[in-house]
Amino acid sequence: MKLVRYGRPGREKPGMIDADGKLRDLSSIIDDIGPDQLADKSLAKLAKINPARLPLVRGKPRYGVPLAQVGKFIGIGMNYSDHAAEVGAPIPAEPIIFMKAITSLAGANDTVMLPKGSEKSDWEVELGVVIGTKAQYVSEKQALDYVAGYCVVNDLSERAFQMERGTQWDKGKGCDTFGPVGPWLVTRDEVPNPQRLALWLDLNGKRQQTGSTRTMIFSVAKIISYVSRFMTLMPGDIIATGTPPGVGLGMKPPRFLTAGDELRLGIEGLGEQHQQVVRYRKG
Protein backbone atom coordinates (compact mmCIF):
# COMPACT_ATOMS: atom_id res chain seq x y z
CA MET A 1 0.00 0.00 0.00
CA LYS A 2 0.85 3.62 -0.49
CA LEU A 3 -0.52 5.66 2.40
CA VAL A 4 -0.66 9.45 2.39
CA ARG A 5 -1.86 12.43 4.35
CA TYR A 6 -3.17 15.23 2.17
CA GLY A 7 -4.48 18.75 2.63
CA ARG A 8 -3.41 22.00 4.22
CA PRO A 9 -0.76 21.93 6.98
CA GLY A 10 -2.32 20.88 10.25
CA ARG A 11 -5.54 19.77 8.57
CA GLU A 12 -4.34 16.73 6.64
CA LYS A 13 -6.66 13.81 5.92
CA PRO A 14 -5.64 10.15 5.52
CA GLY A 15 -5.54 8.73 2.02
CA MET A 16 -4.42 5.83 -0.13
CA ILE A 17 -2.94 5.73 -3.63
CA ASP A 18 -4.75 3.20 -5.85
CA ALA A 19 -3.29 0.98 -8.56
CA ASP A 20 -3.79 3.74 -11.14
CA GLY A 21 -1.91 6.28 -9.05
CA LYS A 22 -5.07 8.13 -8.02
CA LEU A 23 -5.65 9.50 -4.54
CA ARG A 24 -8.47 7.94 -2.50
CA ASP A 25 -9.87 9.33 0.75
CA LEU A 26 -9.51 7.10 3.84
CA SER A 27 -11.13 9.42 6.37
CA SER A 28 -14.31 7.32 6.59
CA ILE A 29 -12.15 4.37 7.73
CA ILE A 30 -9.53 5.98 9.97
CA ASP A 31 -9.10 9.41 11.50
CA ASP A 32 -5.42 9.73 10.61
CA ILE A 33 -2.27 7.78 9.81
CA GLY A 34 -0.13 7.67 12.94
CA PRO A 35 1.55 5.24 15.33
CA ASP A 36 -1.67 3.32 16.02
CA GLN A 37 -2.14 2.55 12.33
CA LEU A 38 1.42 1.25 11.76
CA ALA A 39 1.25 -2.10 13.54
CA ASP A 40 1.11 -5.18 11.32
CA LYS A 41 -2.50 -5.97 12.31
CA SER A 42 -3.65 -2.43 11.57
CA LEU A 43 -1.91 -2.36 8.21
CA ALA A 44 -3.37 -5.78 7.35
CA LYS A 45 -6.88 -4.42 7.91
CA LEU A 46 -6.20 -1.46 5.63
CA ALA A 47 -4.76 -3.79 2.99
CA LYS A 48 -8.13 -5.58 2.76
CA ILE A 49 -9.86 -2.40 1.63
CA ASN A 50 -10.74 -2.14 -2.05
CA PRO A 51 -9.45 1.33 -3.03
CA ALA A 52 -12.03 1.54 -5.82
CA ARG A 53 -14.73 1.79 -3.16
CA LEU A 54 -13.11 4.79 -1.52
CA PRO A 55 -13.99 8.36 -2.59
CA LEU A 56 -11.75 9.73 -5.31
CA VAL A 57 -9.98 12.97 -4.36
CA ARG A 58 -10.21 15.53 -7.14
CA GLY A 59 -7.60 18.11 -8.06
CA LYS A 60 -4.00 18.18 -6.88
CA PRO A 61 -3.99 18.57 -3.09
CA ARG A 62 -0.84 19.09 -1.06
CA TYR A 63 0.80 15.97 0.35
CA GLY A 64 1.85 16.36 3.97
CA VAL A 65 4.21 14.17 5.98
CA PRO A 66 2.64 10.71 5.39
CA LEU A 67 2.36 9.95 9.11
CA ALA A 68 1.28 12.02 12.09
CA GLN A 69 2.78 12.15 15.57
CA VAL A 70 6.36 11.39 14.56
CA GLY A 71 8.21 10.76 17.81
CA LYS A 72 11.84 10.74 16.71
CA PHE A 73 13.50 11.78 13.46
CA ILE A 74 16.86 9.98 13.43
CA GLY A 75 19.65 10.41 10.90
CA ILE A 76 22.57 8.18 9.95
CA GLY A 77 25.68 9.97 8.69
CA MET A 78 28.31 8.91 6.17
CA ASN A 79 26.58 5.65 5.29
CA TYR A 80 27.76 5.45 1.68
CA SER A 81 31.47 4.93 1.11
CA ASP A 82 31.52 7.01 -2.08
CA HIS A 83 29.81 9.91 -0.29
CA ALA A 84 32.35 9.77 2.54
CA ALA A 85 35.13 9.86 -0.06
CA GLU A 86 33.73 12.91 -1.86
CA VAL A 87 33.68 14.99 1.34
CA GLY A 88 37.01 13.64 2.60
CA ALA A 89 35.60 11.78 5.60
CA PRO A 90 36.82 8.40 6.88
CA ILE A 91 34.64 5.30 6.60
CA PRO A 92 32.91 5.00 9.99
CA ALA A 93 33.52 1.85 12.03
CA GLU A 94 30.01 2.12 13.48
CA PRO A 95 26.90 4.00 12.32
CA ILE A 96 26.98 7.74 13.02
CA ILE A 97 23.71 8.77 14.69
CA PHE A 98 22.29 12.29 14.85
CA MET A 99 18.81 13.71 15.44
CA LYS A 100 16.75 15.95 13.22
CA ALA A 101 14.27 18.18 15.03
CA ILE A 102 10.62 17.22 14.62
CA THR A 103 10.00 20.85 13.63
CA SER A 104 12.08 20.27 10.49
CA LEU A 105 9.43 17.91 9.09
CA ALA A 106 7.72 19.04 5.90
CA GLY A 107 5.61 17.67 3.10
CA ALA A 108 7.29 16.23 0.04
CA ASN A 109 6.64 19.27 -2.16
CA ASP A 110 6.60 22.00 0.47
CA THR A 111 8.87 25.01 0.07
CA VAL A 112 12.41 24.69 1.48
CA MET A 113 13.32 27.79 3.46
CA LEU A 114 16.97 28.65 3.97
CA PRO A 115 17.62 29.35 7.67
CA LYS A 116 18.56 32.84 8.81
CA GLY A 117 22.30 33.29 8.32
CA SER A 118 22.57 30.29 5.98
CA GLU A 119 25.90 30.00 4.20
CA LYS A 120 26.17 26.38 3.08
CA SER A 121 22.77 24.70 2.84
CA ASP A 122 22.93 21.37 1.03
CA TRP A 123 20.73 18.56 -0.29
CA GLU A 124 20.70 14.81 0.51
CA VAL A 125 18.28 12.25 -0.96
CA GLU A 126 17.84 9.38 1.50
CA LEU A 127 15.82 6.24 2.11
CA GLY A 128 13.52 6.79 5.08
CA VAL A 129 12.51 3.89 7.33
CA VAL A 130 9.31 4.15 9.38
CA ILE A 131 9.16 2.01 12.51
CA GLY A 132 5.89 0.12 13.08
CA THR A 133 6.61 -1.90 16.23
CA LYS A 134 8.41 -0.99 19.45
CA ALA A 135 12.05 -2.08 19.08
CA GLN A 136 14.58 -2.63 21.87
CA TYR A 137 17.83 -4.55 21.38
CA VAL A 138 16.52 -6.26 18.25
CA SER A 139 18.69 -8.64 16.26
CA GLU A 140 19.83 -7.76 12.77
CA LYS A 141 18.10 -10.91 11.50
CA GLN A 142 14.71 -9.77 12.83
CA ALA A 143 15.14 -6.02 12.40
CA LEU A 144 13.08 -5.59 9.23
CA ASP A 145 10.07 -7.14 10.97
CA TYR A 146 9.84 -3.91 12.99
CA VAL A 147 9.44 -1.75 9.89
CA ALA A 148 6.02 -0.41 8.87
CA GLY A 149 7.25 1.00 5.58
CA TYR A 150 9.62 3.18 3.62
CA CYS A 151 9.62 6.69 2.16
CA VAL A 152 11.72 9.35 0.48
CA VAL A 153 13.53 11.84 2.75
CA ASN A 154 15.49 14.94 1.79
CA ASP A 155 17.95 15.33 4.67
CA LEU A 156 18.71 18.99 4.03
CA SER A 157 21.77 20.20 5.92
CA GLU A 158 23.35 23.56 6.68
CA ARG A 159 27.03 22.58 6.53
CA ALA A 160 28.42 25.65 8.29
CA PHE A 161 26.06 25.09 11.21
CA GLN A 162 26.78 21.35 11.12
CA MET A 163 30.55 21.29 10.97
CA GLU A 164 31.96 24.75 11.72
CA ARG A 165 30.06 25.67 14.88
CA GLY A 166 31.01 22.96 17.34
CA THR A 167 30.82 19.19 17.22
CA GLN A 168 27.04 18.65 17.19
CA TRP A 169 25.59 17.89 13.76
CA ASP A 170 22.03 18.52 14.98
CA LYS A 171 22.38 22.31 14.57
CA GLY A 172 22.76 21.95 10.83
CA LYS A 173 20.13 19.25 10.42
CA GLY A 174 17.09 20.48 12.29
CA CYS A 175 16.27 23.80 10.62
CA ASP A 176 12.63 24.45 9.72
CA THR A 177 11.61 22.73 6.43
CA PHE A 178 14.86 20.70 6.38
CA GLY A 179 13.04 17.35 6.59
CA PRO A 180 10.70 16.79 3.63
CA VAL A 181 9.20 13.28 3.91
CA GLY A 182 7.00 11.43 1.42
CA PRO A 183 4.99 11.87 -0.74
CA TRP A 184 3.73 8.57 0.64
CA LEU A 185 4.55 5.76 3.01
CA VAL A 186 5.04 2.50 1.11
CA THR A 187 4.37 -0.51 3.32
CA ARG A 188 7.19 -3.01 3.70
CA ASP A 189 5.39 -5.78 1.77
CA GLU A 190 5.96 -3.69 -1.37
CA VAL A 191 9.70 -3.34 -0.62
CA PRO A 192 10.98 -6.93 -0.30
CA ASN A 193 14.62 -5.82 -0.29
CA PRO A 194 15.46 -2.27 0.84
CA GLN A 195 19.06 -2.83 -0.29
CA ARG A 196 18.06 -2.83 -3.97
CA LEU A 197 16.66 0.67 -4.45
CA ALA A 198 17.90 3.38 -6.82
CA LEU A 199 18.08 6.98 -5.54
CA TRP A 200 18.46 10.23 -7.49
CA LEU A 201 18.34 14.02 -7.09
CA ASP A 202 18.27 16.86 -9.63
CA LEU A 203 19.18 20.48 -8.95
CA ASN A 204 17.65 22.92 -11.44
CA GLY A 205 17.08 20.07 -13.90
CA LYS A 206 20.64 18.70 -13.71
CA ARG A 207 21.31 15.31 -12.14
CA GLN A 208 23.52 15.64 -9.06
CA GLN A 209 22.96 12.43 -7.11
CA THR A 210 22.69 8.94 -8.54
CA GLY A 211 23.06 6.00 -6.21
CA SER A 212 21.75 2.73 -4.90
CA THR A 213 21.08 1.42 -1.43
CA ARG A 214 23.26 -1.53 -2.45
CA THR A 215 26.31 0.60 -1.61
CA MET A 216 25.29 1.41 1.96
CA ILE A 217 28.05 0.74 4.47
CA PHE A 218 25.48 -0.34 7.05
CA SER A 219 22.30 -2.02 5.82
CA VAL A 220 18.81 -0.99 6.93
CA ALA A 221 18.64 -4.10 9.15
CA LYS A 222 22.01 -3.28 10.71
CA ILE A 223 20.97 0.32 11.35
CA ILE A 224 17.72 -0.64 13.09
CA SER A 225 19.46 -3.24 15.23
CA TYR A 226 22.28 -0.85 16.12
CA VAL A 227 20.10 2.16 16.96
CA SER A 228 17.80 -0.01 19.10
CA ARG A 229 20.75 -0.67 21.44
CA PHE A 230 20.94 3.01 22.37
CA MET A 231 17.32 4.14 22.31
CA THR A 232 13.92 2.48 22.16
CA LEU A 233 12.43 2.84 18.70
CA MET A 234 8.70 3.49 18.74
CA PRO A 235 5.95 3.27 16.11
CA GLY A 236 6.11 6.41 13.99
CA ASP A 237 9.84 7.02 14.42
CA ILE A 238 11.62 7.81 11.16
CA ILE A 239 15.22 6.88 10.37
CA ALA A 240 16.96 8.59 7.43
CA THR A 241 19.63 6.10 6.36
CA GLY A 242 22.29 8.21 4.66
CA THR A 243 22.92 9.71 1.23
CA PRO A 244 24.87 8.65 -1.89
CA PRO A 245 27.48 10.93 -3.52
CA GLY A 246 26.63 14.13 -5.35
CA VAL A 247 25.99 16.61 -2.53
CA GLY A 248 26.95 20.26 -2.87
CA LEU A 249 29.72 19.97 -0.28
CA GLY A 250 31.50 17.41 -2.44
CA MET A 251 31.54 19.50 -5.63
CA LYS A 252 34.66 21.32 -6.76
CA PRO A 253 34.13 24.11 -5.97
CA PRO A 254 31.30 23.41 -3.50
CA ARG A 255 27.85 24.49 -4.62
CA PHE A 256 25.22 25.33 -2.02
CA LEU A 257 21.55 26.17 -2.23
CA THR A 258 20.32 29.68 -3.00
CA ALA A 259 16.85 31.17 -3.24
CA GLY A 260 15.23 30.22 -6.53
CA ASP A 261 16.81 26.78 -6.78
CA GLU A 262 14.58 23.83 -7.62
CA LEU A 263 15.08 20.31 -6.25
CA ARG A 264 13.59 17.08 -7.63
CA LEU A 265 14.42 13.76 -6.00
CA GLY A 266 13.10 10.26 -5.73
CA ILE A 267 13.63 6.61 -4.90
CA GLU A 268 12.64 3.62 -6.99
CA GLY A 269 9.09 2.60 -6.09
CA LEU A 270 8.74 5.21 -3.34
CA GLY A 271 7.76 8.31 -5.31
CA GLU A 272 9.25 11.73 -5.99
CA GLN A 273 9.61 15.08 -4.25
CA HIS A 274 9.78 18.58 -5.72
CA GLN A 275 10.87 21.62 -3.72
CA GLN A 276 11.44 25.30 -4.42
CA VAL A 277 14.09 27.04 -2.30
CA VAL A 278 13.28 30.43 -0.77
CA ARG A 279 14.97 32.89 1.56
CA TYR A 280 14.32 32.87 5.29
CA ARG A 281 11.04 34.40 6.38
CA LYS A 282 9.73 34.54 9.91
CA GLY A 283 6.95 32.01 10.51
Side-chain angles (χ1 to χ4, degrees):
M1 289 182 295
K2 294 181 176 66
L3 300 174
V4 303
R5 297 173 68 248
Y6 69 96
R8 288 181 291 174
R11 301 185 66 181
E12 293 91 346
K13 294 181 178 181
M16 178 185 293
I17 304 298
D18 67 18
D20 296 321
K22 297 179 180 178
L23 174 59
R24 301 281 179 165
D25 180 50
L26 265 176
S27 58
S28 64
I29 309 296
I30 54 176
D31 293 332
D32 207 343
I33 298 169
D36 291 342
Q37 287 74 43
L38 298 180
D40 287 348
K41 288 184 178 180
S42 299
L43 292 176
K45 289 181 180 179
L46 292 177
K48 293 179 181 179
I49 298 170
N50 181 357
R53 295 185 177 181
L54 297 173
L56 184 65
V57 180
R58 305 291 180 180
K60 296 182 179 180
R62 166 187 174 269
Y63 286 119
V65 179
L67 62 150
Q69 302 174 49
V70 176
K72 294 190 287 297
F73 195 1
I74 303 163
I76 304 298
M78 299 298 172
N79 196 32
Y80 288 73
S81 57
D82 36 11
H83 169 54
E86 74 172 340
V87 298
I91 302 298
E94 297 186 29
I96 297 171
I97 301 173
F98 60 88
M99 307 297 287
K100 288 181 72 77
I102 299 302
T103 48
S104 73
L105 286 166
N109 303 322
D110 289 352
T111 298
V112 166
M113 182 179 65
L114 298 174
K116 189 175 183 179
S118 172
E119 301 174 6
K120 300 178 180 179
S121 290
D122 206 346
W123 56 84
E124 295 187 27
V125 59
E126 305 198 5
L127 172 64
V129 178
V130 178
I131 300 299
T133 304
K134 182 179 178 179
Q136 295 173 298
Y137 298 101
V138 302
S139 70
E140 188 172 340
K141 183 178 180 179
Q142 296 178 318
L144 297 185
D145 294 340
Y146 292 80
V147 174
Y150 301 90
C151 55
V152 182
V153 173
N154 190 355
D155 175 25
L156 290 144
S157 310
E158 212 303 333
R159 304 299 190 188
F161 297 178
Q162 176 188 356
M163 296 184 290
E164 299 172 20
R165 302 184 67 172
T167 60
Q168 301 301 315
W169 282 19
D170 300 27
K171 287 182 290 187
K173 296 287 190 172
C175 306
D176 291 350
T177 76
F178 269 30
V181 176
W184 36 72
L185 167 65
V186 181
T187 52
R188 76 169 188 267
D189 58 294
E190 293 195 15
V191 187
N193 188 346
Q195 304 307 144
R196 293 291 185 271
L197 301 175
L199 307 84
W200 60 271
L201 180 145
D202 292 347
L203 173 65
N204 299 329
K206 183 178 180 181
R207 185 61 46 94
Q208 300 296 339
Q209 290 189 273
T210 301
S212 170
T213 56
R214 294 184 183 192
T215 65
M216 281 184 175
I217 299 169
F218 306 106
S219 69
V220 171
K222 175 67 175 180
I223 289 168
I224 294 169
S225 175
Y226 183 85
V227 174
S228 75
R229 302 178 199 173
F230 303 99
M231 64 189 80
T232 299
L233 295 171
M234 298 296 292
D237 288 350
I238 301 173
I239 304 175
T241 57
T243 197
V247 301
L249 181 64
M251 298 174 69
K252 301 186 186 307
R255 197 309 193 174
F256 299 112
L257 293 170
T258 59
D261 282 339
E262 179 178 319
L263 293 165
R264 287 188 180 273
L265 57 146
I267 300 178
E268 179 183 359
L270 303 185
E272 299 182 6
Q273 300 185 355
H274 174 212
Q275 294 123 21
Q276 296 284 342
V277 180
V278 300
R279 294 183 180 88
Y280 168 81
R281 57 174 180 262
K282 189 174 181 179

